[in-house]
Amino acid sequence: MDELSNDTLLEIFWTMLLSRRTDERAWTLHRQGRIAFHVSAIGHEATQVGAAYALRRGEDWVVPYYRDLALILALGFTPYDFMLGLMGRRDEPSSGGRQMPSHWSIPRAHVISTGSPVAAQSPHAAGLGLAIKLRGDDRVVLTTIGEGSTSQGDWYEAVNFSAIHQLPVVFLVENNQYAISERLDKQMHVPSVAEKACGLGLPGVSADGTDVLAVYQAVKAAVDRARSGGGPGLVEARSYRITPHSSDDDDRSYRSREEVEQNKKSDPLLLFQARLEEKGLLPKEKLREMEDRARQIVEEAAKKAEAAPLPEAADALHPVYAEEVANG
Ligand SMILES: Cc1ncc(C[n+]2csc(CCOP(=O)(O)OP(=O)(O)O)c2C)c(N)n1
Ligand SMILES: [Mg+2]
C-alpha cells in the first residue's frame, strides 16, 4: 500500500466502483429486455484493476478475455463505450457492433481484439511477446484467462512457448472457482493454477484476487521481471464469481445460495472500501460523492447509448471482407 500514493489508491477504488455500478446497470438492462447479453466482472474488480495498475497503461500490450470489464475501464474504456457494445450500436469502439459484447479491441490502449473460443487469446499474447523480443523494446504483454480455460491446449502451448523463448508475457489467471457450472476440481488436479508453472519452467505465484493491492504486487513483480529480460510469469488471482456465468446462466442449478452469500463476505469492492476508510482516505461524504458520480455517469451512458444509431445493414460486411478483390 505504501508504494502507491493516496491519490492512486483512490483512483483504483474509483475504477472498481465505476466498474461495479456499470456492471449492475447491465444486469438490470438485461432483465428489462433492453440488451441481449451480459457477462459480469462482479467479484473480479480487485484482480483486474490491480493488474492494470501494474502496467505502463497505454504502452504495454493487453490481451484480455470477456470477463474483463474492470480491466478495460482501467485502460481507458468508458461506461458509454461499453454500453454501446451491449446495445450493438454503430459507434461501438471494439467492432462497430459486429462482435458480441465484451469482445474488446482498443487500439489506443494497446488492447488487441478477442475472439470467443476460450484460450485462443493466449497464443496471440505469446506472439506479441515474440515480436517485442525481436524488436528489442521494453514493453510487456499481460494476458488474462479464466482458470477453467487453462485446461485448453492453446494455453499450455502459449505458456510453454513463452517459457522456452523467455518472452515478456505475464499470464494472469482469474480463478473464480467455476467454469460456467464446472467446479475447479473438475478442471485440474492441483490445488492452484500457479502449480502448473513448475512443469513448464516459469515462476508461478498465487495471490488473493479479492485484495487489489495483493494482485497489484504480484503482477507488478512479474511485469518488472518480464520487462528486464527475466522471461514470462504466471499469476493466479483467487476470487469468486459472485454472479451467474452470464445473463444466460441460472446458477441455482449447480450451487447453493448459502455458498454465494458466504463468498459475498469477500466482496473485493467492500474489502478495499473498508481499508481506505480505516486509513482515513474515504470519509462518508467522499464516498457518497463518488457513488453519485458513478451512478450519474452510468445512467447517462445507458441513455446515450440507447439513443445512439444502429449500424447500417449495408455496412455489415465492412471491414470484415476486402472491399475490392482483383478478378482473375
Ligand atoms: C473452446 C471453447 N470451449 C467452450 C466454450 C464455452 N465457454 C465459454 S466461457 C466458458 C467457461 C470458461 O470458464 P473460465 O475459464 O473459468 O472463465 P470464467 O468464465 O469463469 O471467467 C466456456 C466453457 C468456448 N467459448 N470456447
Ligand atoms: Mg472461472
Side-chain angles (χ1 to χ4, degrees):
M1 193 138 169
D2 292 338
E3 63 183 279
L4 296 170
S5 70
N6 289 346
D7 283 351
T8 305
L9 293 174
L10 284 171
E11 201 181 281
I12 287 175
F13 177 72
W14 163 251
T15 309
M16 292 171 67
L17 180 71
L18 187 62
S19 179
R20 177 66 61 93
R21 300 296 169 246
T22 305
D23 210 308
E24 288 167 345
R25 190 72 186 98
W27 282 99
T28 54
L29 286 167
H30 181 267
R31 298 310 193 228
Q32 291 165 345
R34 289 153 78 188
I35 61 166
F37 182 75
H38 174 54
V39 58
S40 182
I42 291 180
H44 285 238
E45 293 94 342
T47 297
Q48 296 175 11
V49 180
Y53 273 75
L55 298 175
R56 284 191 204 148
R57 287 174 294 153
E59 277 183 44
D60 290 329
W61 291 90
V62 179
V63 189
Y65 83 123
Y66 50 80
R67 203 173 290 292
D68 281 333
L69 173 60
L71 170 63
I72 294 303
L73 292 177
L75 295 172
F77 222 52
T78 66
Y80 176 57
D81 294 331
F82 173 66
M83 296 276 177
L84 285 170
L86 286 181
M87 296 178 189
R89 294 315 203 238
R90 184 192 68 192
D91 299 330
E92 187 268 318
S94 292
S95 69
R98 288 170 180 78
Q99 258 284 23
M100 282 180 74
S102 302
H103 284 57
W104 330 102
S105 171
I106 321 170
R108 69 174 190 277
H110 284 189
V111 173
I112 73 157
S113 168
T114 21
S116 293
V118 296
Q121 73 274 27
S122 310
H124 295 166
L128 273 170
L130 182 62
I132 290 170
K133 191 170 180 188
L134 293 175
R135 284 183 181 174
D137 74 37
D138 73 343
R139 288 166 212 250
V140 303
V141 185
L142 173 78
T143 186
T144 59
I145 192 165
E147 85 296 339
S149 305
T150 67
S151 302
Q152 294 282 113
D154 299 39
W155 185 78
Y156 284 100
E157 291 169 31
V159 179
N160 187 45
F161 186 87
S162 302
I164 293 167
H165 298 285
Q166 290 293 285
L167 305 179
V169 185
V170 176
F171 294 90
L172 173 64
V173 180
E174 302 187 26
N175 180 356
N176 61 9
Q177 319 295 326
Y178 284 91
I180 312 185
S181 56
E182 203 75 310
R183 282 171 203 275
L184 192 59
D185 61 359
K186 290 277 165 43
Q187 289 288 348
M188 62 190 78
H189 197 55
V190 284
S192 157
V193 180
E195 288 192 22
K196 296 187 178 188
C198 67
L200 297 165
L202 76 168
V205 296
S206 187
D208 179 352
T210 67
D211 177 344
V212 66
L213 301 178
V215 178
Y216 166 78
Q217 269 154 9
V219 176
K220 182 84 168 51
V223 162
D224 288 350
R225 193 179 51 240
R227 205 185 300 289
S228 58
L234 169 62
V235 179
E236 176 198 55
R238 295 180 319 275
S239 67
Y240 186 79
R241 200 196 69 214
I242 292 174
T243 67
H245 171 72
S246 74
S247 55
D248 288 350
D249 175 40
D250 182 354
D251 63 336
R252 289 172 301 184
S253 62
Y254 57 83
R255 62 182 187 180
S256 71
R257 294 308 86 195
E258 291 73 34
E259 179 191 310
V260 177
E261 287 310 312
Q262 183 61 25
N263 279 284
K264 280 187 185 168
K265 290 183 185 152
S266 19
D267 178 326
L269 182 67
L270 298 182
L271 289 177
F272 194 42
Q273 180 182 318
R275 234 163 133 178
L276 294 179
E277 283 168 346
E278 221 170 84
K279 216 173 176 270
L281 289 177
L282 204 54
K284 273 202 171 56
E285 321 76 67
K286 187 158 186 70
L287 180 61
R288 178 158 321 136
E289 181 273 317
M290 282 176 147
E291 284 282 8
D292 289 348
R293 188 150 45 99
R295 278 177 207 282
Q296 195 185 337
I297 289 172
V298 170
E299 221 28 66
E300 275 172 15
K303 269 203 197 111
K304 218 172 123 195
E306 214 161 21
L310 287 163
E312 294 289 333
D315 290 339
L317 301 184
H318 172 81
V320 180
Y321 296 102
E323 302 284 289
E324 289 176 32
V325 179
N327 197 359

